């Protein structure tokens, strides 16, 4: 039998008022969501530490940049493959248990990394295997955790919750690697892995305190990946959220060119490349912090199209500038726009999709988020090799704007999507 939405600890939402900073209402009104948010924050920082520590350890063993690059491949493939199946599983079983067991698996893997490092067992194949298993756990955990949120909060608070969630991931990506580098430098790989394992206890505690989260299913058959894809194929507004993201992530994603442009355009070095990588993440964090104004936006599809167009414009202008600080400002603007788009896309998926499909849609979302930027890196690198980095960056930004303009002309219903009357 379907379980009722567990919102007994939630209070009526505060009346909407003009605000600049993030709406904290979900944290105030739902103890379950508050614990889940805090646990995710701590866990993301720990995962960021481990991600850097594994890369540093692989390089310490092999002295090969190619071997370090394989770490990303061993993480990407399981994430894409199991992302779809993780979503189908989340639409079949108790999502609380799936989230709890997958988080336990990630914690055990961090303990395995720490134990091997303490024992002096330094084998690259072992690190690759652990990274792949961690990606499997993440692919199972993410759809379960994301599909829980609409059961913990009323629909009018989901936009604010997604803004808060965006701050979690961005904060983890910014702070985790920096903290991991310091810990590895002062106390070794084993300490970084051990801290990550301890950090998972916050997420485990939050999952443990949740009520049962069985999907609200209308049929008796097992949830299928193909059924989820068929559902998406017949829901134009939800489908457009993925198409719009592809415009940005595939056509205008210059991250792979940052090491080259740092030297060629700005006369810098690795530190300059680091600034270029950090600038979009900083802008993305601001996108979550300064998200209060988004509560007054009803036409979410229109907001997504404008945000993606702003991303493409910022990237195109970045390709024309040779001033480092202006370039960093433009990349931060792009990161801010990406967060705005992501908040509204997630909100549309959570509100317009039925509960029985939310896990599978989140699985598709994982594939898009994990695979899109990699395709973008490949495209940008190929175009830059055939022409120049400037053509790849500026041309990609212009292509993004043109593509999203075409989507705007094609998707009239998407432009008119109203949060007060959500239509998938």
């Amino acid at each position: 039998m379907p379980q009722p939405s567990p919102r007994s600890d939630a209070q009526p939402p505060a009346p909407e008022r003009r605000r600049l900073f993030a709406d904290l209402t979900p944290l105030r009104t739902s103890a379950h969501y508050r614990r889940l948010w805090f646990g995710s924050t701590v866990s993301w920082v720990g995962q960021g530490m481990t991600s850097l520590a594994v890369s540093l350890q692989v390089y310490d063993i092999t002295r090969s940049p190619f071997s370090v690059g394989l770490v990303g491949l061993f993480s990407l493939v399981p994430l894409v493959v199991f992302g779809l199946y993780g979503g189908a599983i989340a639409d079949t079983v108790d999502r609380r248990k799936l989230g709890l067991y997958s988080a336990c698996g990630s914690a055990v893997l961090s303990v395995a990394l720490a134990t091997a490092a303490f024992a002096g067992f330094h084998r690259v194949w072992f690190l690759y295997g652990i990274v792949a298993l961690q990606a499997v756990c993440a692919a199972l955990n993410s759809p379960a955790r994301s599909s829980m949120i609409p059961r913990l909060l009323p629909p009018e608070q989901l936009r604010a919750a997604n803004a808060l969630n965006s701050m979690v991931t961005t904060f983890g990506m910014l702070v985790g690697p920096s903290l991991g580098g310091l810990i590895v430098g002062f106390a070794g790989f084993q300490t970084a892995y051990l801290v990550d394992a301890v950090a998972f206890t916050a997420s485990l505690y939050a999952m443990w305190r949740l009520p049962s989260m069985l999907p609200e299913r209308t049929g008796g058959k097992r949830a299928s990946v193909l059924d989820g894809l068929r559902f998406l194929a017949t829901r134009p507004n939800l489908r457009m959220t993925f198409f719009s993201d592809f415009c940005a992530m595939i056509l205008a994603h210059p991250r792979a060119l940052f090491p080259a442009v740092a030297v060629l355009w700005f006369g810098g070095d690795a530190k300059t490349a680091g600034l270029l990588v950090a600038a979009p993440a900083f802008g993305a964090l601001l996108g979550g912090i300064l998200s209060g104004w988004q509560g007054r936006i009803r036409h979410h599809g229109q907001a997504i199209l404008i945000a993606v167009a702003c991303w493409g414009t910022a990237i195109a202008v970045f390709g024309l500038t040779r001033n480092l600080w202006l370039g960093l400002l433009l990349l931060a603007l792009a990161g801010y726009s990406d967060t705005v788009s992501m908040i509204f896309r997630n909100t549309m998926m959570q509100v317009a999709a039925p509960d029985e499909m939310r896990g599978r849609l989140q699985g598709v979302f994982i594939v898009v988020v994990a695979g899109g930027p990699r395709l973008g890196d490949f495209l940008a690198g190929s175009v830059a090799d055939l022409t120049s980095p400037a053509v790849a960056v500026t041309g990609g930004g212009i292509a993004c704007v043109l593509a999203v303009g075409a989507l705007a002309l094609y998707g009239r219903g998407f432009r008119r999507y109203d949060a007060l009357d959500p239509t998938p």
Side-chain angles (χ1 to χ4, degrees):
M1 293 291 291
Q3 302 296 307
S5 298
R7 294 177 186 150
S8 58
D9 58 345
Q11 303 297 321
E16 185 62 44
R17 63 182 186 276
R18 290 187 176 275
R19 52 165 65 94
L20 174 63
F21 295 103
D23 183 359
L24 303 182
T25 301
L27 294 175
R28 290 196 301 266
T29 60
S30 173
H32 288 312
Y33 175 76
R34 185 166 59 247
R35 284 189 291 266
L36 197 63
W37 185 86
F38 177 76
S40 295
T41 301
V42 176
S43 296
W44 268 95
V45 172
Q47 291 169 64
M49 291 170 47
T50 291
S51 178
L52 180 72
V54 168
S55 296
L56 292 174
Q57 189 174 8
V58 169
Y59 185 75
D60 186 63
I61 296 170
T62 65
R63 298 297 172 181
S64 166
F66 175 76
S67 298
V68 177
L70 286 179
V71 173
L73 182 63
F74 276 94
S75 175
L76 174 63
V77 172
L79 198 60
V80 170
V81 172
F82 284 90
L84 293 174
Y85 288 98
I89 295 172
D91 286 339
T92 303
V93 303
D94 186 342
R95 290 161 177 166
R96 170 189 172 271
K97 290 182 179 179
L98 179 60
L100 185 62
Y101 294 157
S102 55
C104 282
S106 296
V108 169
L109 291 170
S110 293
V111 171
L113 285 171
T115 302
F118 274 115
F121 184 76
H122 304 300
R123 298 291 186 276
V124 173
W125 62 264
F126 175 77
L127 297 175
Y128 287 158
I130 294 292
V131 164
L133 291 174
Q134 285 177 329
V136 172
C137 289
L140 296 174
N141 185 271
S142 183
R145 188 177 62 247
S146 298
S147 55
M148 290 176 190
I149 295 174
R151 301 277 291 274
L152 300 175
L153 298 168
E156 61 269 18
Q157 293 185 20
L158 291 178
R159 197 273 324 156
N162 285 314
L164 293 170
N165 293 341
S166 74
M167 294 164 59
V168 169
T169 55
T170 309
F171 181 79
M173 288 188 293
L174 283 173
V175 175
S178 302
L179 189 59
L182 289 174
I183 292 178
V184 169
F186 284 105
F189 303 112
Q190 62 274 13
T191 305
Y193 299 142
L194 196 59
V195 171
D196 182 27
V198 173
F200 268 109
T201 59
S203 181
L204 292 174
Y205 175 74
M207 294 281 185
W208 180 265
R209 291 292 303 274
L210 289 173
S212 177
M213 290 273 184
L214 286 170
E216 298 175 352
R217 300 181 60 197
T218 56
K221 66 176 184 177
R222 187 179 182 87
S224 155
V225 173
L226 289 178
D227 286 342
L229 294 176
R230 291 190 192 103
F231 172 83
L232 187 59
T234 59
R235 301 302 190 274
N237 287 336
L238 293 179
R239 195 167 63 245
M240 284 283 285
T241 64
F242 294 103
F243 288 161
S244 60
D245 191 43
F246 275 136
C247 291
M249 294 297 99
I250 296 179
L251 298 177
H253 197 261
R255 181 182 58 187
L257 304 180
F258 285 164
V261 303
V263 176
L264 298 176
W265 295 359
F266 306 116
D269 52 16
K271 298 184 183 66
T272 308
L275 289 175
L276 295 176
V277 171
F282 179 74
L285 182 60
L286 285 181
I289 295 173
L290 305 177
S291 61
W293 60 272
Q294 297 169 15
R296 301 190 295 274
I297 305 298
R298 286 177 50 182
H299 298 288
H300 290 184
Q302 194 173 88
I304 292 170
L305 294 172
I306 293 173
V308 174
C310 288
W311 164 281
T313 301
I315 295 298
V317 179
F318 169 74
L320 299 175
T321 185
R322 297 299 178 265
N323 180 279
L324 177 60
W325 296 110
L326 178 58
L328 294 175
L329 178 62
L330 289 165
L331 290 175
L333 176 61
Y336 182 95
S337 302
D338 183 49
T339 292
V340 172
S341 169
M342 184 272 295
I343 290 171
F344 285 120
R345 283 186 286 113
N346 267 348
T347 304
M348 284 182 65
M349 281 195 292
Q350 291 171 342
V351 174
D355 182 77
E356 63 179 325
M357 286 290 174
R358 285 175 182 150
R360 278 166 284 186
L361 289 181
Q362 287 296 329
V364 177
F365 180 77
I366 289 175
V367 173
V368 171
V369 169
R374 271 72 177 188
L375 290 175
D377 288 342
F378 175 76
L379 180 62
S382 300
V383 174
D385 191 53
L386 294 172
T387 56
S388 70
V391 171
V393 176
T394 299
I398 293 173
C400 172
V401 174
L402 293 176
V404 80
L407 287 180
L409 292 175
Y410 168 76
R412 295 181 181 179
F414 187 66
R415 294 202 316 269
R416 297 169 184 163
Y417 176 92
D418 191 338
L420 300 182
D421 184 24
T423 303

